[in-house]
């Protein structure tokens, strides 16, 4: 089981994985950093422990380790216990959630393998807001999306804030970069037997509710809030679908629009 | 048109409506306060100007007033122009959005009148998180909800953070407290010809997609994320509907679940 070790000195090198999480150039989850994945809070730490991401260590206040006792029982990694102030000194800010875990990245899944049996897939273009991306993964997990594929200009789903906003579901929903030149790479989805449906506010797109997709396996193509999908991506889709929207209203948040589409396009079991 | 007046002194009493917005006991949008409504940023200020809420005054940096010139043209209220630092000293924090408007509350609409022609209504029980409430109003506006009715233990939709998260749509979607003892007050909806559908994760509820509501006017009953609807509210509904959810996943965010339900339950035109 996890060995709980007391840490008193914020400079202790054993907690270096958790150091200065807000300072971009030292933050391990940024390009150029060490590529580690950070989970915050009991719920997300628990999901990380249950995920394919290999946990390296934990840092937290004793009360949170008590809550996680069952999860730590079979986990052969160090857990560093400290007080809230020392923890804040290490991390660089005061952490309400009281516990962190750090994991190495896992190898991305093979896209062809991932698509073989997938019934509902999300494909993202330019979703570069970490919170929207995290919320989208949370909704994908809840609504039975089998995989998320990243097209160009997406944020890193394993960035700390995405992990947190996703409630840890980015560690649970398989995702990978879609290989090959965009948007020709969408052919990979068609080759796997999926219909590519682009979500767009364009008024000449089919309303989601009447999209004739009955029973078909679907890849939902989603662009960023604001700019939306590029014309190239829209042209490469098999069909264009829209959420009927009241006039004079900005588009929905991309994660919310995704949830509506995931629900509407889920093939029947 | 709005008179643009330069303000140099943060203590100037003419900008008292905007003073110390984060300090609860002086904040005008809290019970015991003055009950004013605050809009932040060009988009939301614009929606406030277009709303039934009577604008009292504006405070902002000149660049934002330039952007709002068209909106201010017909608005006979003072606009106080200042620099970002003076504005921060008045408000109590640095405001990225650079412009605020303050309005009096408007009389709530008459519920019976509101329901007479409403085709899709949201009824909330215990939605007491200001951000969720704001997001819910944004989704209600986008998805054609005609009215939001507040049952017990809901937050004030006109609280500053709700207004902001709603992108100003709380000023646009009619809302009112549902009068009478809860949940017997739901009879008012039935009397108006609406079917009351409670959204719940209970596995024996009908999946949204197969809820036999074809063409009927619907009131969607929504509870808070976490506790959900009370047994009393569930029992008072005409039917219970659910969003099919993957196992092992927390419920969706209440505003997201609401969006999925609003889309699925919108009667055809």
């Amino acid at each position: 089981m996890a060995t709980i070790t007391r840490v008193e000195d914020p400079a202790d090198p054993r907690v270096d994985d958790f150091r200065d999480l807000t300072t971009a150039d030292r933050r391990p989850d940024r390009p150029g950093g060490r590529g580690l994945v950070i989970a915050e809070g009991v719920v997300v730490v628990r999901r990380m422990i249950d995920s394919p991401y290999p946990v390296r260590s934990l840092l937290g206040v004793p009360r949170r380790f008590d809550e996680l006792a069952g999860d730590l029982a079979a986990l052969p990694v160090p857990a560093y216990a400290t007080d809230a102030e020392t923890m804040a000194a290490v991390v660089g800010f005061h952490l309400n959630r009281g516990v962190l875990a750090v994991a190495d990245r896992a190898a991305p899944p093979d896209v062809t393998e991932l698509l073989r049996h997938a019934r509902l897939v999300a494909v993202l273009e330019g979703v570069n807001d970490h919170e929207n991306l995290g919320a989208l993964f949370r909704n994908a997990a809840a609504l039975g999306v089998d995989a998320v594929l990243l097209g160009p200009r997406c944020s890193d789903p394993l960035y700390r804030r995405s992990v947190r906003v996703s409630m840890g579901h980015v560690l649970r929903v398989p995702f990978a970069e879609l290989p090959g030149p965009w948007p020709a790479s969408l052919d990979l989805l068609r080759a796997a037997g999926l219909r590519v449906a682009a979500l767009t506010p364009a008024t000449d797109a089919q309303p989601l509710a009447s999209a004739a997709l009955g029973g078909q396996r679907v890849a939902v193509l989603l662009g960023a809030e604001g700019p939306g999908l590029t014309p190239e991506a829209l042209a490469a889709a098999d069909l264009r679908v829209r959420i009927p929207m009241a006039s004079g209203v900005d588009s929905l948040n991309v994660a919310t629009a995704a949830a509506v589409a995931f629900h509407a396009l889920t093939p029947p079991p």
Side-chain angles (χ1 to χ4, degrees), chain A:
Chain A
M1 71 159 285
T3 318
I4 297 186
T5 306
R6 187 80 199 174
V7 164
E8 309 286 352
D9 178 5
D12 192 319
R14 292 174 297 179
V15 296
D16 277 355
D17 281 356
F18 302 100
R19 199 169 300 289
D20 291 350
L21 293 182
T22 43
T23 309
D25 57 343
R26 301 189 63 185
R27 196 164 53 187
D29 52 353
R30 271 285 175 88
R34 283 175 300 167
L36 300 176
V37 187
I38 303 284
E40 300 165 77
V42 167
V43 170
V44 180
V45 165
R46 196 168 271 152
R47 286 213 171 101
M48 178 179 270
I49 293 171
D50 291 340
S51 81
Y53 295 82
V55 177
R56 293 160 62 97
S57 63
L58 297 97
L59 173 66
V61 297
R63 198 154 64 90
R64 298 295 171 228
F65 287 145
D66 292 345
E67 284 180 65
L68 287 164
D71 307 272
L72 297 178
L75 192 72
V77 304
Y80 299 108
T82 191
D83 55 80
E85 286 65 39
T86 306
M87 198 164 165
V90 173
V91 172
F93 55 93
H94 192 81
L95 200 86
N96 290 322
R97 292 177 178 78
V99 65
L100 294 166
V102 60
D104 286 308
R105 295 197 171 221
D110 178 78
V111 173
T112 310
E113 191 52 44
L114 204 55
L115 295 178
R116 200 184 302 279
H117 302 293
R119 303 172 68 250
L120 182 61
V121 172
V123 185
L124 314 184
E125 184 194 46
V127 178
N128 56 9
D129 177 283
H130 287 112
E131 299 204 6
N132 283 345
L133 191 61
L136 193 151
F137 269 86
R138 178 183 176 189
N139 297 345
L143 295 164
V145 169
D146 297 304
V148 176
L149 295 176
L150 307 175
R153 299 183 314 287
C154 291
S155 299
D156 178 4
L158 296 176
Y159 174 69
R160 184 167 57 89
R161 200 160 64 223
S162 293
V163 175
R164 185 179 66 221
V165 174
S166 82
M167 316 258 296
H169 288 299
V170 294
L171 307 173
R172 193 171 178 274
V173 177
F175 73 88
E177 287 187 24
L178 186 60
W182 179 263
S185 48
L186 292 170
D187 286 341
L188 207 63
L189 294 144
R190 271 185 285 270
L194 292 142
R195 289 264 282 167
V196 180
L199 189 67
T200 164
T203 48
D204 63 343
Q206 301 175 49
L208 264 181
S210 63
L213 282 164
Q216 292 184 76
R217 296 158 60 225
V218 180
V220 188
L221 186 53
L222 297 154
E225 206 172 325
L229 291 164
T230 58
E232 295 73 27
L234 283 167
D238 296 316
L239 72 164
R240 295 179 305 133
V241 293
R242 69 180 168 91
I243 299 170
M245 207 81 84
S247 64
V249 180
D250 339 61
S251 63
L252 289 167
N253 165 286
V254 61
T256 304
V260 170
F262 296 155
H263 176 261
L265 296 178
T266 304

